[in-house]
Amino acid sequence: MTEVVAALIWREEKFIICRRPAHKARGLLWEFVGGKVEKGESKEAALVRECREELDVTVAVEDVFMDVVHEYPDLTVHLTLFNSRIAEGEPKKLEHVDIKWITPQEIPNYEFCPADEEILKRIIKEKTR
């Protein structure tokens, strides 16, 4: 099982999503910023590193919003999504083909990676009451 971390970063009523490059697995699907936890690295440290590598921002990692296990045909991921905020910097597209700030109501307009589906349902449920 592959340990993966991701950030749920809010700015007022919107959160950031990123579109995967076409040449990668699950190409052009939308996802939360994040990636694999390296050997010997804490989940929080991995998330700080990934946000720096992918968006050129420093994040303050807060509590866990949710974690899910998802089986893809090529790998099984244990995804831990952390509530996070940008402590420093403005997001830039270093690895993704697009980044957007969206409201929970706009989630259905985007095609996300399957591992994110349960998380997105919870965001809609909690934020659109």
Side-chain angles (χ1 to χ4, degrees), residues 71-95:
E71 283 186 45
Y72 285 110
D74 55 332
L75 84 161
T76 299
V77 296
H78 173 221
L79 168 63
T80 305
L81 183 72
F82 288 90
N83 284 306
S84 306
R85 61 185 167 74
I86 294 174
E88 206 176 293
E90 191 55 39
K92 297 179 188 70
K93 288 183 283 193
L94 300 183
E95 285 194 16

Side-chain angles (χ1 to χ4, degrees), residues 1-5 35-37 68-70 74-80:
M1 184 159 344
T2 305
E3 287 294 331
V4 179
V5 290
K36 290 185 183 112
V37 179
V68 295
V69 172
H70 185 83
D74 55 332
L75 84 161
T76 299
V77 296
H78 173 221
L79 168 63
T80 305

Side-chain angles (χ1 to χ4, degrees), residues 93-113:
K93 288 183 283 193
L94 300 183
E95 285 194 16
H96 293 91
V97 293
D98 202 1
I99 52 178
K100 286 197 183 309
W101 291 94
I102 68 165
T103 64
Q105 292 83 354
E106 293 172 292
I107 289 171
N109 303 339
Y110 297 90
E111 194 178 345
F112 284 86
C113 291

